[in-house]
mmCIF file with all atom_site columns, all heavy atoms in Angstrom:
data_model
loop_
_atom_site.group_PDB
_atom_site.id
_atom_site.type_symbol
_atom_site.label_atom_id
_atom_site.label_alt_id
_atom_site.label_comp_id
_atom_site.label_asym_id
_atom_site.label_entity_id
_atom_site.label_seq_id
_atom_site.pdbx_PDB_ins_code
_atom_site.Cartn_x
_atom_site.Cartn_y
_atom_site.Cartn_z
_atom_site.occupancy
_atom_site.B_iso_or_equiv
_atom_site.pdbx_formal_charge
_atom_site.auth_seq_id
_atom_site.auth_comp_id
_atom_site.auth_asym_id
_atom_site.auth_atom_id
_atom_site.pdbx_PDB_model_num
ATOM 1   N N   . LEU B 1 47  ? -34.684 5.127  6.619  1.00 98.00 ? 184 LEU B N   1
ATOM 2   C CA  . LEU B 1 47  ? -33.852 4.564  7.691  1.00 98.00 ? 184 LEU B CA  1
ATOM 3   C C   . LEU B 1 47  ? -33.440 5.633  8.689  1.00 98.00 ? 184 LEU B C   1
ATOM 4   O O   . LEU B 1 47  ? -32.781 5.363  9.686  1.00 98.00 ? 184 LEU B O   1
ATOM 5   C CB  . LEU B 1 47  ? -32.585 3.917  7.115  1.00 98.00 ? 184 LEU B CB  1
ATOM 6   C CG  . LEU B 1 47  ? -32.775 2.565  6.439  1.00 98.00 ? 184 LEU B CG  1
ATOM 7   C CD1 . LEU B 1 47  ? -31.523 2.165  5.666  1.00 98.00 ? 184 LEU B CD1 1
ATOM 8   C CD2 . LEU B 1 47  ? -33.083 1.483  7.460  1.00 98.00 ? 184 LEU B CD2 1
ATOM 9   N N   . GLY B 1 48  ? -33.777 6.886  8.400  1.00 98.00 ? 185 GLY B N   1
ATOM 10  C CA  . GLY B 1 48  ? -33.414 7.981  9.326  1.00 98.00 ? 185 GLY B CA  1
ATOM 11  C C   . GLY B 1 48  ? -31.935 8.231  9.402  1.00 98.00 ? 185 GLY B C   1
ATOM 12  O O   . GLY B 1 48  ? -31.416 8.582  10.470 1.00 98.00 ? 185 GLY B O   1
ATOM 13  N N   . GLY B 1 51  ? -28.683 13.513 7.694  1.00 98.00 ? 188 GLY B N   1
ATOM 14  C CA  . GLY B 1 51  ? -28.523 14.238 6.436  1.00 98.00 ? 188 GLY B CA  1
ATOM 15  C C   . GLY B 1 51  ? -29.635 13.981 5.440  1.00 98.00 ? 188 GLY B C   1
ATOM 16  O O   . GLY B 1 51  ? -29.800 14.708 4.470  1.00 98.00 ? 188 GLY B O   1
ATOM 17  N N   . LYS B 1 53  ? -33.484 13.764 3.838  1.00 98.00 ? 190 LYS B N   1
ATOM 18  C CA  . LYS B 1 53  ? -34.591 14.720 3.916  1.00 98.00 ? 190 LYS B CA  1
ATOM 19  C C   . LYS B 1 53  ? -35.853 14.101 3.278  1.00 98.00 ? 190 LYS B C   1
ATOM 20  O O   . LYS B 1 53  ? -35.760 13.351 2.316  1.00 98.00 ? 190 LYS B O   1
ATOM 21  C CB  . LYS B 1 53  ? -34.246 16.006 3.140  1.00 98.00 ? 190 LYS B CB  1
ATOM 22  C CG  . LYS B 1 53  ? -32.964 16.689 3.531  1.00 98.00 ? 190 LYS B CG  1
ATOM 23  C CD  . LYS B 1 53  ? -33.117 17.541 4.772  1.00 98.00 ? 190 LYS B CD  1
ATOM 24  C CE  . LYS B 1 53  ? -31.826 18.258 5.139  1.00 98.00 ? 190 LYS B CE  1
ATOM 25  N NZ  . LYS B 1 53  ? -30.818 17.442 5.791  1.00 98.00 ? 190 LYS B NZ  1
ATOM 26  N N   . ARG B 1 83  ? -43.984 17.215 13.546 1.00 98.00 ? 220 ARG B N   1
ATOM 27  C CA  . ARG B 1 83  ? -43.145 16.146 14.094 1.00 98.00 ? 220 ARG B CA  1
ATOM 28  C C   . ARG B 1 83  ? -43.698 15.755 15.463 1.00 98.00 ? 220 ARG B C   1
ATOM 29  O O   . ARG B 1 83  ? -43.807 16.596 16.339 1.00 98.00 ? 220 ARG B O   1
ATOM 30  C CB  . ARG B 1 83  ? -41.699 16.636 14.265 1.00 98.00 ? 220 ARG B CB  1
ATOM 31  C CG  . ARG B 1 83  ? -40.973 16.869 12.961 1.00 98.00 ? 220 ARG B CG  1
ATOM 32  C CD  . ARG B 1 83  ? -39.555 17.283 13.206 1.00 98.00 ? 220 ARG B CD  1
ATOM 33  N NE  . ARG B 1 83  ? -38.925 17.520 11.910 1.00 98.00 ? 220 ARG B NE  1
ATOM 34  C CZ  . ARG B 1 83  ? -37.678 17.959 11.773 1.00 98.00 ? 220 ARG B CZ  1
ATOM 35  N NH1 . ARG B 1 83  ? -36.942 18.205 12.842 1.00 98.00 ? 220 ARG B NH1 1
ATOM 36  N NH2 . ARG B 1 83  ? -37.184 18.150 10.582 1.00 98.00 ? 220 ARG B NH2 1
ATOM 37  N N   . ALA B 1 92  ? -37.629 5.342  12.949 1.00 98.00 ? 229 ALA B N   1
ATOM 38  C CA  . ALA B 1 92  ? -36.375 5.615  12.232 1.00 98.00 ? 229 ALA B CA  1
ATOM 39  C C   . ALA B 1 92  ? -35.724 6.902  12.681 1.00 98.00 ? 229 ALA B C   1
ATOM 40  O O   . ALA B 1 92  ? -34.502 7.027  12.667 1.00 98.00 ? 229 ALA B O   1
ATOM 41  C CB  . ALA B 1 92  ? -36.619 5.627  10.738 1.00 98.00 ? 229 ALA B CB  1
ATOM 42  N N   . ASN B 1 94  ? -36.988 8.619  15.588 1.00 98.00 ? 231 ASN B N   1
ATOM 43  C CA  . ASN B 1 94  ? -37.543 8.915  16.896 1.00 98.00 ? 231 ASN B CA  1
ATOM 44  C C   . ASN B 1 94  ? -38.436 10.160 16.882 1.00 98.00 ? 231 ASN B C   1
ATOM 45  O O   . ASN B 1 94  ? -38.663 10.782 17.902 1.00 98.00 ? 231 ASN B O   1
ATOM 46  C CB  . ASN B 1 94  ? -36.433 9.050  17.984 1.00 98.00 ? 231 ASN B CB  1
ATOM 47  C CG  . ASN B 1 94  ? -35.921 7.666  18.398 1.00 98.00 ? 231 ASN B CG  1
ATOM 48  O OD1 . ASN B 1 94  ? -36.673 6.697  18.413 1.00 98.00 ? 231 ASN B OD1 1
ATOM 49  N ND2 . ASN B 1 94  ? -34.640 7.576  18.670 1.00 98.00 ? 231 ASN B ND2 1
ATOM 50  N N   . TYR B 1 147 ? -37.135 -2.316 8.510  1.00 98.00 ? 284 TYR B N   1
ATOM 51  C CA  . TYR B 1 147 ? -37.575 -0.963 8.123  1.00 98.00 ? 284 TYR B CA  1
ATOM 52  C C   . TYR B 1 147 ? -38.290 -0.945 6.768  1.00 98.00 ? 284 TYR B C   1
ATOM 53  O O   . TYR B 1 147 ? -38.562 0.162  6.243  1.00 98.00 ? 284 TYR B O   1
ATOM 54  C CB  . TYR B 1 147 ? -36.379 0.008  8.118  1.00 98.00 ? 284 TYR B CB  1
ATOM 55  C CG  . TYR B 1 147 ? -35.866 0.288  9.496  1.00 98.00 ? 284 TYR B CG  1
ATOM 56  C CD1 . TYR B 1 147 ? -34.920 -0.537 10.094 1.00 98.00 ? 284 TYR B CD1 1
ATOM 57  C CD2 . TYR B 1 147 ? -36.373 1.359  10.246 1.00 98.00 ? 284 TYR B CD2 1
ATOM 58  C CE1 . TYR B 1 147 ? -34.474 -0.307 11.382 1.00 98.00 ? 284 TYR B CE1 1
ATOM 59  C CE2 . TYR B 1 147 ? -35.932 1.590  11.534 1.00 98.00 ? 284 TYR B CE2 1
ATOM 60  C CZ  . TYR B 1 147 ? -34.992 0.751  12.099 1.00 98.00 ? 284 TYR B CZ  1
ATOM 61  O OH  . TYR B 1 147 ? -34.551 0.986  13.388 1.00 98.00 ? 284 TYR B OH  1
ATOM 62  N N   . TYR B 1 267 ? -44.957 18.582 19.911 1.00 97.00 ? 404 TYR B N   1
ATOM 63  C CA  . TYR B 1 267 ? -45.175 18.813 18.484 1.00 97.00 ? 404 TYR B CA  1
ATOM 64  C C   . TYR B 1 267 ? -44.532 20.094 17.973 1.00 97.00 ? 404 TYR B C   1
ATOM 65  O O   . TYR B 1 267 ? -44.702 21.160 18.572 1.00 97.00 ? 404 TYR B O   1
ATOM 66  C CB  . TYR B 1 267 ? -46.682 18.897 18.178 1.00 97.00 ? 404 TYR B CB  1
ATOM 67  C CG  . TYR B 1 267 ? -47.399 17.607 18.289 1.00 97.00 ? 404 TYR B CG  1
ATOM 68  C CD1 . TYR B 1 267 ? -48.148 17.294 19.433 1.00 97.00 ? 404 TYR B CD1 1
ATOM 69  C CD2 . TYR B 1 267 ? -47.403 16.679 17.260 1.00 97.00 ? 404 TYR B CD2 1
ATOM 70  C CE1 . TYR B 1 267 ? -48.827 16.102 19.534 1.00 97.00 ? 404 TYR B CE1 1
ATOM 71  C CE2 . TYR B 1 267 ? -48.083 15.488 17.352 1.00 97.00 ? 404 TYR B CE2 1
ATOM 72  C CZ  . TYR B 1 267 ? -48.806 15.195 18.495 1.00 97.00 ? 404 TYR B CZ  1
ATOM 73  O OH  . TYR B 1 267 ? -49.479 14.020 18.589 1.00 97.00 ? 404 TYR B OH  1
ATOM 74  N N   . ASP B 1 272 ? -38.815 20.909 7.436  1.00 98.00 ? 409 ASP B N   1
ATOM 75  C CA  . ASP B 1 272 ? -38.318 20.377 6.185  1.00 98.00 ? 409 ASP B CA  1
ATOM 76  C C   . ASP B 1 272 ? -39.419 20.309 5.126  1.00 98.00 ? 409 ASP B C   1
ATOM 77  O O   . ASP B 1 272 ? -39.155 20.095 3.942  1.00 98.00 ? 409 ASP B O   1
ATOM 78  C CB  . ASP B 1 272 ? -37.799 18.944 6.358  1.00 98.00 ? 409 ASP B CB  1
ATOM 79  C CG  . ASP B 1 272 ? -36.349 18.905 6.788  1.00 98.00 ? 409 ASP B CG  1
ATOM 80  O OD1 . ASP B 1 272 ? -35.628 19.874 6.553  1.00 98.00 ? 409 ASP B OD1 1
ATOM 81  O OD2 . ASP B 1 272 ? -35.966 17.864 7.390  1.00 98.00 ? 409 ASP B OD2 1
ATOM 82  N N   . ARG C 2 168 ? -29.785 21.458 1.101  1.00 98.00 ? 613 ARG C N   1
ATOM 83  C CA  . ARG C 2 168 ? -29.389 20.897 2.424  1.00 98.00 ? 613 ARG C CA  1
ATOM 84  C C   . ARG C 2 168 ? -29.379 19.389 2.417  1.00 98.00 ? 613 ARG C C   1
ATOM 85  O O   . ARG C 2 168 ? -29.175 18.770 3.471  1.00 98.00 ? 613 ARG C O   1
ATOM 86  C CB  . ARG C 2 168 ? -30.367 21.387 3.503  1.00 98.00 ? 613 ARG C CB  1
ATOM 87  C CG  . ARG C 2 168 ? -30.261 22.839 3.879  1.00 98.00 ? 613 ARG C CG  1
ATOM 88  C CD  . ARG C 2 168 ? -31.216 23.209 5.006  1.00 98.00 ? 613 ARG C CD  1
ATOM 89  N NE  . ARG C 2 168 ? -32.605 22.969 4.678  1.00 98.00 ? 613 ARG C NE  1
ATOM 90  C CZ  . ARG C 2 168 ? -33.376 22.061 5.290  1.00 98.00 ? 613 ARG C CZ  1
ATOM 91  N NH1 . ARG C 2 168 ? -32.882 21.309 6.247  1.00 98.00 ? 613 ARG C NH1 1
ATOM 92  N NH2 . ARG C 2 168 ? -34.649 21.940 4.943  1.00 98.00 ? 613 ARG C NH2 1
ATOM 93  N N   . GLY C 2 170 ? -28.147 16.010 2.645  1.00 98.00 ? 615 GLY C N   1
ATOM 94  C CA  . GLY C 2 170 ? -26.840 15.489 3.067  1.00 98.00 ? 615 GLY C CA  1
ATOM 95  C C   . GLY C 2 170 ? -26.197 16.309 4.176  1.00 98.00 ? 615 GLY C C   1
ATOM 96  O O   . GLY C 2 170 ? -25.134 15.958 4.679  1.00 98.00 ? 615 GLY C O   1
ATOM 97  N N   . LEU C 2 171 ? -26.857 17.410 4.580  1.00 98.00 ? 616 LEU C N   1
ATOM 98  C CA  . LEU C 2 171 ? -26.353 18.183 5.714  1.00 98.00 ? 616 LEU C CA  1
ATOM 99  C C   . LEU C 2 171 ? -26.957 17.607 6.970  1.00 98.00 ? 616 LEU C C   1
ATOM 100 O O   . LEU C 2 171 ? -28.169 17.446 7.067  1.00 98.00 ? 616 LEU C O   1
ATOM 101 C CB  . LEU C 2 171 ? -26.786 19.651 5.568  1.00 98.00 ? 616 LEU C CB  1
ATOM 102 C CG  . LEU C 2 171 ? -26.564 20.554 6.787  1.00 98.00 ? 616 LEU C CG  1
ATOM 103 C CD1 . LEU C 2 171 ? -25.091 20.710 7.108  1.00 98.00 ? 616 LEU C CD1 1
ATOM 104 C CD2 . LEU C 2 171 ? -27.215 21.927 6.559  1.00 98.00 ? 616 LEU C CD2 1
ATOM 105 N N   . ASP C 2 173 ? -28.579 17.804 10.194 1.00 98.00 ? 618 ASP C N   1
ATOM 106 C CA  . ASP C 2 173 ? -29.369 18.959 10.642 1.00 98.00 ? 618 ASP C CA  1
ATOM 107 C C   . ASP C 2 173 ? -29.041 19.455 12.046 1.00 98.00 ? 618 ASP C C   1
ATOM 108 O O   . ASP C 2 173 ? -28.923 18.668 12.966 1.00 98.00 ? 618 ASP C O   1
ATOM 109 C CB  . ASP C 2 173 ? -30.866 18.589 10.619 1.00 98.00 ? 618 ASP C CB  1
ATOM 110 C CG  . ASP C 2 173 ? -31.302 17.985 9.313  1.00 98.00 ? 618 ASP C CG  1
ATOM 111 O OD1 . ASP C 2 173 ? -31.313 18.703 8.319  1.00 98.00 ? 618 ASP C OD1 1
ATOM 112 O OD2 . ASP C 2 173 ? -31.636 16.787 9.316  1.00 98.00 ? 618 ASP C OD2 1
ATOM 113 N N   . SER C 2 206 ? -36.897 19.614 -0.057 1.00 98.00 ? 651 SER C N   1
ATOM 114 C CA  . SER C 2 206 ? -38.187 20.272 -0.279 1.00 98.00 ? 651 SER C CA  1
ATOM 115 C C   . SER C 2 206 ? -38.166 21.781 -0.067 1.00 98.00 ? 651 SER C C   1
ATOM 116 O O   . SER C 2 206 ? -39.087 22.470 -0.428 1.00 98.00 ? 651 SER C O   1
ATOM 117 C CB  . SER C 2 206 ? -39.246 19.680 0.664  1.00 98.00 ? 651 SER C CB  1
ATOM 118 O OG  . SER C 2 206 ? -39.423 18.314 0.397  1.00 98.00 ? 651 SER C OG  1
ATOM 119 N N   . THR C 2 288 ? -35.394 17.849 18.214 1.00 98.00 ? 733 THR C N   1
ATOM 120 C CA  . THR C 2 288 ? -36.050 16.751 17.461 1.00 98.00 ? 733 THR C CA  1
ATOM 121 C C   . THR C 2 288 ? -35.047 16.114 16.488 1.00 98.00 ? 733 THR C C   1
ATOM 122 O O   . THR C 2 288 ? -35.056 14.910 16.305 1.00 98.00 ? 733 THR C O   1
ATOM 123 C CB  . THR C 2 288 ? -37.279 17.249 16.685 1.00 98.00 ? 733 THR C CB  1
ATOM 124 O OG1 . THR C 2 288 ? -36.886 18.141 15.646 1.00 98.00 ? 733 THR C OG1 1
ATOM 125 C CG2 . THR C 2 288 ? -38.296 17.914 17.588 1.00 98.00 ? 733 THR C CG2 1
ATOM 126 N N   . ALA C 2 291 ? -32.869 13.474 18.098 1.00 98.00 ? 736 ALA C N   1
ATOM 127 C CA  . ALA C 2 291 ? -33.544 12.303 18.708 1.00 98.00 ? 736 ALA C CA  1
ATOM 128 C C   . ALA C 2 291 ? -33.106 11.021 17.999 1.00 98.00 ? 736 ALA C C   1
ATOM 129 O O   . ALA C 2 291 ? -33.080 9.946  18.610 1.00 98.00 ? 736 ALA C O   1
ATOM 130 C CB  . ALA C 2 291 ? -35.062 12.474 18.627 1.00 98.00 ? 736 ALA C CB  1
ATOM 131 N N   . ARG C 2 297 ? -28.665 1.301  14.235 1.00 96.00 ? 742 ARG C N   1
ATOM 132 C CA  . ARG C 2 297 ? -28.462 1.492  12.789 1.00 96.00 ? 742 ARG C CA  1
ATOM 133 C C   . ARG C 2 297 ? -27.167 2.201  12.454 1.00 96.00 ? 742 ARG C C   1
ATOM 134 O O   . ARG C 2 297 ? -26.558 1.956  11.399 1.00 96.00 ? 742 ARG C O   1
ATOM 135 C CB  . ARG C 2 297 ? -29.605 2.253  12.114 1.00 96.00 ? 742 ARG C CB  1
ATOM 136 C CG  . ARG C 2 297 ? -30.945 1.574  12.164 1.00 96.00 ? 742 ARG C CG  1
ATOM 137 C CD  . ARG C 2 297 ? -32.010 2.348  11.435 1.00 96.00 ? 742 ARG C CD  1
ATOM 138 N NE  . ARG C 2 297 ? -32.092 3.747  11.801 1.00 96.00 ? 742 ARG C NE  1
ATOM 139 C CZ  . ARG C 2 297 ? -32.614 4.223  12.905 1.00 96.00 ? 742 ARG C CZ  1
ATOM 140 N NH1 . ARG C 2 297 ? -33.126 3.402  13.789 1.00 96.00 ? 742 ARG C NH1 1
ATOM 141 N NH2 . ARG C 2 297 ? -32.636 5.511  13.152 1.00 96.00 ? 742 ARG C NH2 1
ATOM 142 N N   . TYR C 2 298 ? -26.712 3.124  13.247 1.00 98.00 ? 743 TYR C N   1
ATOM 143 C CA  . TYR C 2 298 ? -25.447 3.824  12.994 1.00 98.00 ? 743 TYR C CA  1
ATOM 144 C C   . TYR C 2 298 ? -25.056 4.569  14.255 1.00 98.00 ? 743 TYR C C   1
ATOM 145 O O   . TYR C 2 298 ? -25.810 4.645  15.196 1.00 98.00 ? 743 TYR C O   1
ATOM 146 C CB  . TYR C 2 298 ? -25.613 4.818  11.818 1.00 98.00 ? 743 TYR C CB  1
ATOM 147 C CG  . TYR C 2 298 ? -26.792 5.751  12.010 1.00 98.00 ? 743 TYR C CG  1
ATOM 148 C CD1 . TYR C 2 298 ? -26.725 6.864  12.851 1.00 98.00 ? 743 TYR C CD1 1
ATOM 149 C CD2 . TYR C 2 298 ? -27.994 5.479  11.381 1.00 98.00 ? 743 TYR C CD2 1
ATOM 150 C CE1 . TYR C 2 298 ? -27.821 7.674  13.041 1.00 98.00 ? 743 TYR C CE1 1
ATOM 151 C CE2 . TYR C 2 298 ? -29.093 6.287  11.560 1.00 98.00 ? 743 TYR C CE2 1
ATOM 152 C CZ  . TYR C 2 298 ? -29.005 7.374  12.393 1.00 98.00 ? 743 TYR C CZ  1
ATOM 153 O OH  . TYR C 2 298 ? -30.092 8.180  12.580 1.00 98.00 ? 743 TYR C OH  1
ATOM 154 N N   . ARG C 2 340 ? -45.056 25.361 25.373 1.00 97.00 ? 785 ARG C N   1
ATOM 155 C CA  . ARG C 2 340 ? -44.934 25.493 23.915 1.00 97.00 ? 785 ARG C CA  1
ATOM 156 C C   . ARG C 2 340 ? -45.473 26.810 23.397 1.00 97.00 ? 785 ARG C C   1
ATOM 157 O O   . ARG C 2 340 ? -44.863 27.446 22.525 1.00 97.00 ? 785 ARG C O   1
ATOM 158 C CB  . ARG C 2 340 ? -45.699 24.306 23.307 1.00 97.00 ? 785 ARG C CB  1
ATOM 159 C CG  . ARG C 2 340 ? -45.544 24.108 21.865 1.00 97.00 ? 785 ARG C CG  1
ATOM 160 C CD  . ARG C 2 340 ? -46.329 22.823 21.528 1.00 97.00 ? 785 ARG C CD  1
ATOM 161 N NE  . ARG C 2 340 ? -46.346 22.636 20.104 1.00 97.00 ? 785 ARG C NE  1
ATOM 162 C CZ  . ARG C 2 340 ? -47.363 23.019 19.319 1.00 97.00 ? 785 ARG C CZ  1
ATOM 163 N NH1 . ARG C 2 340 ? -48.421 23.581 19.877 1.00 97.00 ? 785 ARG C NH1 1
ATOM 164 N NH2 . ARG C 2 340 ? -47.330 22.830 18.034 1.00 97.00 ? 785 ARG C NH2 1
#
Side-chain angles (χ1 to χ4, degrees):
Chain B
L184 284 169
K190 306 279 182 282
R220 291 183 181 177
N231 284 326
Y284 291 87
Y404 289 99
D409 273 337
Chain C
R613 288 183 300 114
L616 169 66
D618 309 292
S651 299
T733 67
R742 297 183 309 285
Y743 52 80
R785 189 176 173 263

